[in-house]
Amino acid sequence: MEKREELYSGKAKSVFKTEDPDLLILEFRDDTSAFDGKKKEQLERKGRVNNIFNAFIMEKLKAAGIPTHFEKRLNDRESLVKCMQMLPVECVVRNISAGSLCKRLGVEEGQTLNPPTYELFLKNDEQGDPMINESLAVTFGWATDEQLQSMKELTYQVNAVLQRLFAEAGLLLVDYKLEFGVFKGQITLGDEFSPDGCRLWDAETREKLDKDRFRQGLGGVVEAYEEVGRRLGIQFD
Ligand code: TMP
Ligand code: ASP
């Protein structure tokens, strides 16, 4: 697959055209950001680790019948994906309280959330990715009612698949964020699934093994991602 001009460069990944208008190359960089881009660092190996991690998870989701943009991993840092029209809405499911939920509502971290919660955020760094709802998304044209319904169903389906996958590896899937796009009229999972966009805790000790290590300056960020991968049986070399 020929890598052509760069279409877009985000905080952690860059997107390139290919000779096929339906396919793009996603390049996973070592850049790591948090707090809407206010904290930034390069973490050695992170791009490679997330590319391999994401490919593993996307294959699992595809096998479970979830439509994803993922085609195949091309090399250490690049994967081939479908070219979609992305929707600027971030879908978040929480199984355990943490992060912005605790700040916003003053609830304690670590409570089991039953049933799991579902929240929408607008993908807009300048506005600090504000929380939105379905009414706002429809009114401002960020997604249609039907699209929002599909996104919610798929986000919960992902929860069923991944909660179990991580549980079998001795990990708690605390929460995660998904982004969707439209490919040939169908709502399709896009972006990535890696420890950059979810929270994972050791099931016994509740040690944080995700990007909170970076947000909170705990160190050992990429080592934690590799530990999660190792427990899932992912080969990084
Ligand atoms: P939050 O607690 O900051 O709202 O985040 C909930 C989960 O979603 C957490 O795993 C991080 C992820 N997330 C992102 O990766 N990027 C985002 O822009 C947002 C809003 C959440
Ligand atoms: N990924 C987002 C950012 O870079 C949000 C976060 O992970 O804190 O700001």
Side-chain angles (χ1 to χ4, degrees), residues 12-77:
K13 298 189 291 302
S14 302
V15 183
F16 297 85
K17 287 190 175 179
T18 68
E19 71 267 26
D20 184 336
D22 279 342
L23 296 174
L24 299 174
I25 290 174
L26 266 192
E27 181 190 320
F28 289 72
R29 308 194 315 268
D30 285 343
D31 299 302
T32 311
S33 88
F35 312 118
D36 303 313
K38 287 181 205 87
K39 176 172 176 162
K40 281 191 223 163
E41 241 173 78
Q42 288 246 325
L43 299 178
E44 211 178 308
R45 304 194 306 287
K46 197 212 62 160
R48 180 174 180 274
V49 166
N50 276 2
N51 185 36
I52 296 170
F53 194 103
N54 175 64
F56 177 87
I57 298 288
M58 288 287 171
E59 291 290 2
K60 295 281 179 199
L61 296 177
K62 199 182 271 186
I66 291 158
T68 87
H69 70 156
F70 183 78
E71 291 283 318
K72 63 174 179 179
R73 186 162 72 83
L74 295 172
N75 54 46
D76 272 6
R77 287 178 182 270

Side-chain angles (χ1 to χ4, degrees), residues 14-222:
S14 302
V15 183
F16 297 85
K17 287 190 175 179
T18 68
E19 71 267 26
D20 184 336
D22 279 342
L23 296 174
L24 299 174
I25 290 174
L26 266 192
E27 181 190 320
F28 289 72
R29 308 194 315 268
D30 285 343
D31 299 302
T32 311
S33 88
F35 312 118
D36 303 313
K38 287 181 205 87
K39 176 172 176 162
K40 281 191 223 163
E41 241 173 78
Q42 288 246 325
L43 299 178
E44 211 178 308
R45 304 194 306 287
K46 197 212 62 160
R48 180 174 180 274
V49 166
N50 276 2
N51 185 36
I52 296 170
F53 194 103
N54 175 64
F56 177 87
I57 298 288
M58 288 287 171
E59 291 290 2
K60 295 281 179 199
L61 296 177
K62 199 182 271 186
I66 291 158
T68 87
H69 70 156
F70 183 78
E71 291 283 318
K72 63 174 179 179
R73 186 162 72 83
L74 295 172
N75 54 46
D76 272 6
R77 287 178 182 270
E78 294 170 336
S79 287
L80 192 66
V81 298
K82 294 185 180 83
C83 177
M84 304 200 289
Q85 182 205 330
M86 292 301 291
L87 302 175
V89 175
E90 303 185 334
C91 305
V92 171
V93 161
R94 300 178 197 267
N95 296 307
I96 298 177
S97 59
S100 76
L101 181 80
C102 297
K103 271 206 201 111
R104 197 180 334 123
L105 302 182
V107 299
E108 217 178 294
E109 183 180 90
Q111 291 181 55
T112 298
L113 302 172
N114 190 15
T117 61
Y118 180 70
E119 294 156 46
L120 299 177
F121 296 87
L122 178 66
K123 192 173 170 71
N124 183 325
D125 278 337
E126 293 79 60
Q127 297 300 323
D129 285 354
M131 193 176 177
I132 57 169
N133 61 29
E134 302 198 341
S135 164
L136 291 165
V138 172
T139 294
F140 288 103
W142 298 319
T144 66
D145 263 329
E146 297 72 36
Q147 289 172 338
L148 291 162
Q149 185 58 34
S150 300
M151 288 154 74
K152 186 172 176 173
E153 280 167 19
L154 290 170
T155 303
Y156 276 122
Q157 278 179 34
V158 167
N159 201 35
V161 177
L162 296 188
Q163 244 190 330
R164 186 177 169 163
L165 183 80
F166 287 116
E168 286 169 357
L171 297 161
L172 296 170
L173 177 59
V174 173
D175 57 30
Y176 57 92
K177 178 263 305 176
L178 302 180
E179 294 179 29
F180 293 88
V182 182
F183 182 75
K184 299 194 192 291
Q186 190 186 18
I187 282 290
T188 302
L189 179 62
D191 193 45
E192 70 180 279
F193 193 103
S194 75
D196 265 5
C198 68
R199 290 192 172 91
L200 294 162
W201 295 351
D202 179 275
E204 291 287 314
T205 64
R206 298 208 158 198
E207 185 189 3
K208 296 178 200 292
L209 297 169
D210 53 61
K211 201 163 85 175
D212 269 351
R213 298 199 70 83
F214 175 71
R215 295 189 188 95
Q216 298 174 8
L218 300 175
V221 181
V222 180

